[in-house]
Amino acid sequence: MNERIRAREIRVIDAEGNQLGIMPPYEALKKARESNFDLVEISPNAVPPVCRIMDYGKFLYEQEKKDRAAKKHQKQIVLKEVKFSVNVDEHDYVTKRNHVLRFLAEGDKVKASLRFRGREMAHQNLGRNVLERLIKEVGDKGIVEFRPRMEGNTMHAILAPSKQTTGGGSGGSKKTEKPPQQQSAQPQQQPQQQQQHQSAAESAAGKQTGT
């Protein structure tokens, strides 16, 4: 930028995007200083390198503003923890399972944990059954990142949001059906035409017999 540009010749673009042609860097820098702007190298690998006259401070501010806006709208995945127990009753289990499903639907990861207390350590299979049941009932609404495993006296599993999109079944194109009257109209015309041809044939035969 500015005095640090080392190329012998550069292609210059002004602040409005107009091509100023090829010139030495010192001449382009002089034009930039006349407008209180900077000379910024935007394509150093081009032949010759391309530089633009711009307000570099304003450019950095606008770029930072865009980056902040992008981060603001970007979804940050949060790890939510839902705690179970070995002897969890059915109502409490269903409530916690619904929490897990809601967190996954909102795009967050879930850590389903189960802590063993005292003699419960001798019945780790009961805790594993609780977490395996949860994984089975979550189904395709979540992805299992870590299956149930022990860390100290706590067993936990990690579930991530599913990448599958939902609601695609009802959004398909609908086939247009013809009204029943239009479908039955054509078959009904055939007997009428046959009757007309038959009556015409009978009348012609009667004339022949009459003669």
Side-chain angles (χ1 to χ4, degrees), residues 104 135-143 160-164 166:
L104 292 174
I135 292 173
K136 182 178 179 180
E137 293 182 357
V138 167
D140 58 359
K141 296 180 178 62
I143 301 173
S162 175
K163 296 181 181 179
Q164 296 179 355
T166 58

Side-chain angles (χ1 to χ4, degrees), residues 49-84:
V50 180
C51 298
R52 182 161 187 168
I53 298 173
M54 67 171 68
D55 186 345
Y56 192 62
K58 182 179 179 181
F59 170 77
L60 290 179
Y61 172 76
E62 294 293 338
Q63 190 65 35
E64 184 180 355
K65 189 176 179 181
K66 291 179 181 178
D67 293 341
R68 287 199 304 266
K71 290 180 180 179
K72 183 178 180 181
H73 295 289
Q74 186 177 5
K75 170 65 178 177
Q76 294 183 351
I77 298 178
V78 180
L79 180 62
K80 301 289 185 69
E81 183 174 8
V82 180
K83 297 181 179 181
F84 294 83

Side-chain angles (χ1 to χ4, degrees), residues 14-209:
D14 66 9
E16 284 74 30
N18 300 317
Q19 297 276 350
L20 300 183
I22 299 174
M23 62 186 72
Y26 70 87
E27 185 178 341
L29 183 58
K30 181 180 178 181
K31 292 180 179 294
R33 295 304 189 200
E34 291 174 354
S35 304
N36 292 324
F37 285 163
D38 299 298
L39 183 65
V40 181
E41 195 173 28
I42 58 176
S43 296
N45 296 327
V47 181
V50 180
C51 298
R52 182 161 187 168
I53 298 173
M54 67 171 68
D55 186 345
Y56 192 62
K58 182 179 179 181
F59 170 77
L60 290 179
Y61 172 76
E62 294 293 338
Q63 190 65 35
E64 184 180 355
K65 189 176 179 181
K66 291 179 181 178
D67 293 341
R68 287 199 304 266
K71 290 180 180 179
K72 183 178 180 181
H73 295 289
Q74 186 177 5
K75 170 65 178 177
Q76 294 183 351
I77 298 178
V78 180
L79 180 62
K80 301 289 185 69
E81 183 174 8
V82 180
K83 297 181 179 181
F84 294 83
S85 61
V86 177
N87 299 319
V88 60
D89 62 74
E90 184 65 19
H91 176 74
D92 192 26
Y93 168 82
V94 172
T95 301
K96 293 179 182 294
R97 182 199 62 194
N98 291 339
H99 290 333
V100 172
L101 292 173
R102 178 167 58 86
F103 293 148
L104 292 174
E106 292 173 354
D108 296 321
K109 291 185 178 182
V110 178
K111 177 181 180 180
S113 61
L114 191 149
R115 186 176 181 181
F116 298 93
R117 305 175 187 274
R119 297 181 179 179
E120 291 178 349
M121 286 293 291
H123 304 284
Q124 295 182 17
N125 61 316
L126 298 179
R128 186 177 297 275
N129 291 340
V130 173
L131 297 184
E132 290 290 352
R133 176 188 174 187
L134 174 67
I135 292 173
K136 182 178 179 180
E137 293 182 357
V138 167
D140 58 359
K141 296 180 178 62
I143 301 173
V144 181
E145 286 196 349
F146 295 102
R147 299 203 72 84
R149 61 182 182 181
M150 288 292 298
E151 287 187 3
N153 64 340
T154 302
M155 182 180 293
H156 69 268
I158 304 295
L159 300 173
S162 175
K163 296 181 181 179
Q164 296 179 355
T165 57
T166 58
S170 60
S173 60
K174 296 182 178 180
K175 295 182 179 179
T176 56
E177 297 182 356
K178 295 182 180 180
Q181 294 81 359
Q182 295 180 0
Q183 292 179 351
S184 59
Q186 293 180 354
Q188 291 178 357
Q189 291 176 359
Q190 295 178 357
Q192 293 178 359
Q193 293 177 356
Q194 292 177 356
Q195 292 177 0
Q196 292 177 357
H197 289 304
Q198 184 176 1
S199 59
E202 291 176 354
S203 59
K207 291 180 181 180
Q208 292 177 357
T209 54

